[in-house]
Amino acid sequence: MLLCIDCGNTNTVFSLWDGERFLCTLRTATEHTRTADQYYVWFSTLLARYRIEPEITDAIISSTVPRVVFNLRVFTDRFFNIRPWVVGKPECLLPHLPRVDQGTNVGPDRLVNTAGAFDRHGGDLIVVDFGTATTFDVVGQDGAYLGGVIAPGVNLSLEALHMAAAALPHVDVTKPDRVIGTNTVACMQSGVFWGYVGLVREICDRIRTEYDRPMRVIGTGGLAPLFAQGDVLFDQIEDDLTMHGLTVIHAYNKENGAI
């Protein structure tokens, strides 16, 4: 059984893949001080709650927080006797090498999303991921990562607005009933929701123009379904795209003798 770990700036997600489906997906806050022992107590407790007793034989990690990787490596090694594969490291092969400026380090999450999206939808894609940052990844016709766009994440923008303007409260991200707000909260919700709808639409239109080929847009991340209510922004929404990408990269390494 394969343990997939995706460590983002805000949350770290663990999923168990049995070769055909994900048995469960567990989520915890990303904390670089969390030890391997703490990971195991949390992980084993939740597995017991779900009555899952997995025989984990492989592990693969994608992390945008380098300081967390060490303890995740210790976690898989100490408790499952597994040397995990880490996306972005030289020994972890990619199905398609990114075509970006020389010396550029592409975020592992973007490489994983590219692999997962190409496996499910083919090439000529824009993958919009609503995470701590809102990222746009361009997937070439052959499945290579070609570059993209990084914008502030939705919650990050709301937090910055609250911090910089003392009179503005914390608000939830939701689709407002009207564009014109008649109170402070409604005004903020409208600005964030319709502002990001416009951001996604405009950036995708400009990518299509520059790429000069028809492209499909794939939405992923926790807020993708919410923003899909605002307009026809996405051709498809994938709630497990990153985890699927990890299984694709793991299978590619296994097929090519790296594992």
Side-chain angles (χ1 to χ4, degrees):
M1 189 173 295
L2 174 65
L3 173 60
C4 300
I5 304 175
D6 172 42
C7 177
N9 290 293
T10 304
N11 292 315
T12 301
V13 182
F14 293 64
S15 287
L16 288 172
W17 174 254
D18 69 357
E20 296 182 356
R21 63 189 181 95
F22 289 109
L23 297 182
C24 69
T25 296
L26 312 175
R27 186 180 301 267
T28 185
T30 298
E31 297 176 2
H32 73 272
T33 57
R34 183 168 294 174
T35 67
D37 292 349
Q38 288 174 312
Y39 277 119
Y40 182 72
V41 170
W42 167 82
F43 184 70
S44 59
T45 300
L46 284 180
L47 287 188
R49 173 66 179 80
Y50 285 105
R51 298 182 180 179
I52 297 175
E53 298 181 4
E55 293 185 8
I56 298 173
T57 58
D58 297 274
I60 185 167
I61 299 170
S62 167
S63 177
T64 58
V65 186
R67 289 188 295 175
V68 175
V69 174
F70 174 78
N71 283 327
L72 288 173
R73 281 181 179 270
V74 174
F75 163 71
T76 59
D77 179 59
R78 178 180 297 168
F79 296 104
F80 304 108
N81 196 29
I82 295 170
R83 178 178 179 270
W85 291 87
V86 181
V87 179
K89 299 295 183 182
E91 63 271 18
C92 185
L93 306 178
L94 297 172
H96 305 278
L97 293 178
R99 294 200 292 274
V100 294
D101 294 342
Q102 188 172 0
T104 299
N105 291 320
V106 181
D109 55 332
R110 308 184 82 175
L111 298 173
V112 171
N113 281 349
T114 296
F118 181 72
D119 183 69
R120 284 182 171 172
H121 303 284
D124 297 331
L125 304 174
I126 303 169
V127 180
V128 184
D129 189 352
F130 292 90
T132 304
T134 301
T135 59
F136 299 74
D137 301 325
V138 179
V139 183
Q141 188 176 19
D142 61 351
Y145 171 81
L146 303 182
V149 176
I150 301 175
V154 178
N155 288 312
L156 189 63
S157 296
L158 278 171
E159 184 65 23
L161 190 61
H162 169 71
M163 294 295 292
L168 297 181
H170 284 288
V171 299
D172 294 328
V173 184
T174 187
K175 180 184 177 182
D177 295 329
R178 304 175 60 201
V179 174
I180 301 173
T182 54
N183 57 69
T184 301
V185 170
C187 289
M188 293 176 67
Q189 289 174 332
S190 181
V192 169
F193 182 84
W194 293 111
Y196 271 84
V197 168
L199 176 102
V200 171
R201 184 193 300 116
E202 181 68 15
I203 288 179
C204 288
D205 285 348
R206 288 183 177 271
I207 289 174
R208 286 191 183 101
T209 299
E210 196 168 296
Y211 191 69
D212 198 27
R213 291 179 64 93
M215 305 182 77
R216 286 170 293 165
V217 181
I218 310 301
T220 190
L223 292 176
L226 171 66
F227 283 96
Q229 300 176 43
D231 208 341
V232 185
L233 294 178
F234 311 116
D235 295 289
Q236 187 77 32
I237 292 178
E238 299 280 2
D239 60 357
D240 64 346
L241 185 65
T242 302
M243 287 301 168
H244 178 66
L246 285 172
T247 69
V248 170
I249 292 175
H250 177 267
Y252 180 79
N253 280 266
K254 206 161 190 176
E255 290 167 4
N256 287 272
I259 297 177

